[in-house]
Amino acid sequence: MTSQLFAICFNATRPSDLARFWSGVLGWQPADGPDDGIAILPPGPVGYRIRFLPSQEPRTGRNRAHFDLTSATPEDQRQTVARALELGAEHLDVGQLPEEEHVVLADPDGNEFCVIEAGNKFLADTGVIGALSCDGTQEVGYFWSKALRWPLVWDQDQETAIQSPDGGTKITWGGPPVAPKTGTNRLYLELALPADADPEAELGRLVSLGARRTSTGEDHGGRVLLLDPDGNEFSVRTHR
């Protein structure tokens, strides 16, 4: 049985504060349950939780992944930006041009995100988080398409994107040049196995697709840490 995307995880210096920020920006509620860390859940059946885990590792360079938030109207975009700034976000200059209509912000922990202008056709009908936009190669896009068994919805000029058959947020990779990796990623994917799955068989499948196991092994939460073909960390929950 194939792993399923369970969560997008933030390594955060102040997990509770960051969870409150993203809950306020997205309008998502805290998740119930005994899971470690802090999590928020989308309001509907399509989507995955966002988890906030404690980490004291210093920030090193720009994140390899960020959220692209959608806007229904120009006023909706302005309201999202205003709400984020009120909750503690800051404007961020990443070299965007004056004529570009998206707004680049950083959350209170310094993580970049974009509020995309209304009318973006690529992100139509994806939800408030239109995309997890990643710095990555075509190879890693192919890997994740096979790992999650999500179809490619874009594959052009070495840029790739995948989306669940159920719809919702897309995951995109921008192709070369890919910035060198500096330290542990602050954002990473967490997968979960179906209840009847064989963990070793699934881990073997992921390795056969191009993942690499790390020397850290399984942690106390029943998760195994792996690296995708671009060297990005991701985890697989082997126990519910």
Side-chain angles (χ1 to χ4, degrees):
M1 298 290 287
T2 304
S3 296
Q4 300 166 347
L5 181 56
F6 177 76
I8 289 180
C9 299
F10 280 79
N11 287 325
T13 56
R14 299 183 301 277
S16 297
D17 293 346
L18 199 59
R20 279 192 293 271
F21 170 83
W22 281 107
S23 177
V25 170
L26 300 175
W28 292 14
Q29 298 301 312
D32 295 326
D35 200 16
D36 61 335
I38 301 166
I40 58 175
L41 283 174
V46 176
Y48 39 77
R49 67 190 62 205
I50 303 174
R51 299 182 63 220
F52 304 90
L53 303 173
S55 173
Q56 297 306 316
E57 289 194 29
R59 178 182 171 85
T60 54
R62 190 178 299 171
N63 288 338
R64 273 191 164 186
H66 67 268
F67 287 147
D68 285 339
L69 307 186
T70 59
S71 305
T73 64
E75 179 59 25
D76 183 39
Q77 183 186 27
R78 288 191 289 271
Q79 289 179 356
T80 299
V81 171
R83 184 166 63 252
L85 293 173
E86 183 178 352
L87 290 168
E90 296 181 348
H91 283 282
L92 193 63
D93 183 1
V94 295
Q96 63 268 41
L97 300 175
E99 62 268 23
E100 293 182 289
E101 297 183 75
H102 67 279
V103 179
V104 184
L105 302 171
D107 71 19
D109 218 17
N111 302 299
E112 308 89 349
F113 67 100
C114 295
V115 184
I116 305 299
E117 67 276 7
N120 185 294
K121 294 181 179 178
F122 181 69
L123 300 181
D125 301 321
T126 54
V128 63
I129 303 178
L132 176 67
S133 182
C134 306
D135 192 17
T137 62
Q138 185 181 53
E139 178 188 7
V140 85
Y142 289 170
F143 165 80
W144 281 107
S145 177
K146 294 174 182 175
L148 295 173
R149 291 197 169 98
W150 287 11
L152 284 160
V153 295
W154 183 264
D155 185 9
Q156 186 173 315
D157 299 328
Q158 300 191 61
E159 298 177 354
T160 51
I162 62 175
Q163 187 179 31
S164 166
D166 297 325
T169 301
K170 294 177 177 178
I171 306 178
T172 70
W173 294 270
V178 178
K181 189 171 183 292
T182 55
T184 302
N185 288 342
R186 279 190 163 193
L187 278 72
Y188 66 93
L189 302 181
E190 184 172 77
L191 311 184
L193 298 178
D196 57 348
D198 178 347
E200 283 305 317
E202 175 59 6
L203 292 171
R205 185 184 74 89
L206 293 170
V207 169
S208 74
L209 293 175
R212 290 179 287 130
R213 298 187 74 155
T214 70
S215 58
T216 57
E218 187 172 341
D219 70 15
H220 295 293
R223 288 182 295 274
V224 176
L225 183 67
L226 297 97
L227 303 176
D228 72 16
D230 278 0
N232 300 301
E233 300 86 2
F234 70 99
S235 64
V236 180
R237 298 168 64 95
T238 57
H239 302 299
R240 289 286 183 176

